Amino acid sequence: MKKNTKINLLLLLVVAALAVLPLALGLGDHKEEPFAGADAEAETAITEIEPDYEPWFTPLYEPPSGEIESALFAVQAALGAGVLAYYFGLHRGRRQGEERALEQAPAGEEPKADKV
């Protein structure tokens, strides 16, 4: 087995363990909403400390349910991942193209750089 394959399998195992262990160990069972986000926990902590606290700002859009809020968050994460993947893919492709141009250029001649 190749070294990269072993590393990929090990990383996959670690990610699976990080996803399954909190559920298997019952972490968060003592909470009313064990998988609530940090925003909800911060709001709860603030209202316990200062019951009369009023936020400085209000959201521009309040989703009608938690499921819609989660879906919008997932869409935002997917768009961000797509932008990052495009950026890194574009730069990798450019670098590979430059390397190929250098390899194919006749000896002593500079390859013509394409301006993008």
Side-chain angles (χ1 to χ4, degrees), residues 40-91:
E41 289 191 21
E43 185 178 343
T44 303
I46 290 170
T47 53
E48 286 177 5
I49 295 170
E50 184 66 45
D52 297 332
Y53 175 78
E54 290 196 27
W56 293 359
F57 301 100
T58 57
L60 296 175
Y61 171 70
E62 189 73 36
S65 69
E67 292 83 11
I68 293 175
E69 186 175 355
S70 294
L72 290 173
F73 182 76
V75 167
Q76 177 186 358
L79 286 172
V83 167
L84 283 175
Y86 174 78
Y87 174 79
F88 288 120
L90 179 69
H91 284 282

Side-chain angles (χ1 to χ4, degrees), residues 9-66:
L9 287 174
L10 180 65
L11 288 173
L12 186 63
L13 181 65
V14 169
V15 168
L18 285 173
V20 172
L21 280 176
L23 297 172
L25 298 176
L27 300 176
D29 284 347
H30 63 283
K31 297 181 180 180
E32 187 177 315
E33 295 182 28
F35 297 107
D39 292 345
E41 289 191 21
E43 185 178 343
T44 303
I46 290 170
T47 53
E48 286 177 5
I49 295 170
E50 184 66 45
D52 297 332
Y53 175 78
E54 290 196 27
W56 293 359
F57 301 100
T58 57
L60 296 175
Y61 171 70
E62 189 73 36
S65 69

Side-chain angles (χ1 to χ4, degrees), residues 96-112:
Q96 287 176 346
E98 289 172 359
E99 289 172 359
R100 287 183 186 146
L102 288 174
E103 289 173 1
Q104 293 175 356
E109 184 180 319
E110 285 286 322
K112 294 179 183 177

